[in-house]
Amino acid sequence: GENVEQHPSTLSVQEGDSAVIKCTYSDSASNYFPWYKQELGKGPQLIIDIRSNVGEKKDQRIAVTLNKTAKHFSLHITETQPEDSAVYFCDGSSNTGKLIFGQGTTLQVKP
Amino acid sequence: ETGVTQTPRHLVMGMTNKKSLKCEQHLGHNAMYWYKQSAKKPLELMFVYSLEERVENNSVPSRFSPECPNSSHLFLHLHTLQPEDSALYLCASSQDLGGTDTQYFGPGTRLTVL
């Protein structure tokens, strides 16, 4: 069946460094790839998304890249700050309605 | 915050109790979801409703019973739960059903079953 693999499960970086989280998916029908950030005590919130007709999208310090051939997409955070510390989830759901989230990555940014 | 509210935020219940979780969305969305989030299995999809009709039930035990009286409200009725049911229960909504719309999550209900 369809699945989404997210790596790494934990990531620790120094403030100012970059962080990269990667997800691979199996459903070739997937065409929408959002990333969610979950802060402590809150529900996940969308931070950036990309659709299959583009390869990269950027919003200030965060960017998402998509490789449809290899079936993977990545979240890039540059110039990390302590407030970036959170759990990040990718979503590789397909347009057939199957909802599939990655396992989550706990990012810690050390000041 | 996101237009999706959940009550209560925290709930402690015994295994013989009956309680209900409530979710309300103010976004005019057509689809609503219940997720269970625990340390071992983050973001497990439990139930999906589209236009008040249940469209997905991911092998959830019958001690969890969802109800969607209208497109803005979603309930999760709980009875005779087990300690392993302790988790964060998240409600979400999206404009339409499927995997091509952003999901908007509520803050969750932290459930502890004694």
Side-chain angles (χ1 to χ4, degrees):
Chain A
E2 302 92 339
N3 70 301
V4 174
E5 295 289 332
Q6 181 174 342
H7 298 282
S9 57
T10 60
L11 180 59
S12 182
V13 299
Q14 286 296 132
E15 181 177 359
D17 287 350
S18 295
V20 181
I21 304 169
K22 182 177 177 179
C23 279
T24 59
Y25 60 96
S26 60
D27 188 353
S28 57
S30 297
N31 59 11
Y32 176 60
F33 307 93
W35 284 94
Y36 294 84
K37 175 184 180 183
Q38 185 176 22
E39 297 176 330
L40 199 61
K42 298 182 179 180
Q45 303 296 313
L46 177 75
I47 54 171
I48 195 167
D49 57 12
I50 193 169
R51 297 192 184 269
S52 59
N53 56 345
V54 297
E56 183 175 0
K57 183 177 179 181
K58 189 173 182 180
D59 182 4
Q60 299 183 351
R61 295 187 299 106
I62 60 173
V64 55
T65 58
L66 171 64
N67 184 327
K68 284 219 76 178
T69 302
K71 292 183 183 175
H72 65 73
F73 57 109
S74 300
L75 176 70
H76 305 256
I77 306 174
T78 59
E79 301 172 30
T80 53
Q81 301 168 3
E83 53 264 37
D84 294 328
S85 296
V87 180
Y88 292 82
F89 292 95
C90 64
D91 176 2
S93 304
S94 74
N95 62 0
T96 58
K98 187 68 176 179
L99 299 169
I100 308 172
F101 281 90
Q103 297 87 342
T105 296
T106 300
L107 173 65
Q108 181 186 28
V109 180
K110 299 178 181 178
Chain B
E1 284 190 320
T2 64
V4 181
T5 58
Q6 290 186 244
T7 54
R9 293 295 307 276
H10 301 272
L11 178 62
V12 179
M13 59 187 290
M15 289 191 285
T16 58
N17 291 157
K18 290 184 179 181
K19 297 287 184 182
S20 295
L21 310 184
K22 179 182 177 181
C23 175
E24 184 173 0
Q25 57 99 357
H26 313 275
L27 303 168
H29 288 168
N30 295 319
M32 295 188 76
Y33 313 83
W34 278 117
Y35 289 89
K36 176 184 178 181
Q37 187 175 37
S38 60
K40 292 185 178 181
K41 292 186 178 181
L43 290 178
E44 289 179 84
L45 180 64
M46 300 176 71
F47 301 105
V48 181
Y49 277 82
S50 176
L51 298 171
E52 304 155 43
E53 295 290 326
R54 190 192 309 181
V55 296
E56 188 163 344
N57 175 346
N58 277 352
S59 303
V60 180
S62 59
R63 57 185 183 269
F64 295 91
S65 175
E67 178 189 3
C68 187
N70 55 62
S71 59
S72 299
H73 293 86
L74 187 64
F75 294 89
L76 187 62
H77 304 298
L78 318 171
H79 64 97
T80 59
L81 294 192
Q82 304 297 313
E84 58 265 30
D85 296 322
S86 298
L88 180 69
Y89 288 84
L90 290 162
C91 172
S93 71
S94 64
Q95 184 60 58
D96 291 300
L97 180 66
T100 59
D101 286 326
T102 301
Q103 291 193 52
Y104 293 81
F105 287 85
T109 294
R110 174 67 64 184
L111 174 66
T112 302
V113 182
L114 302 176

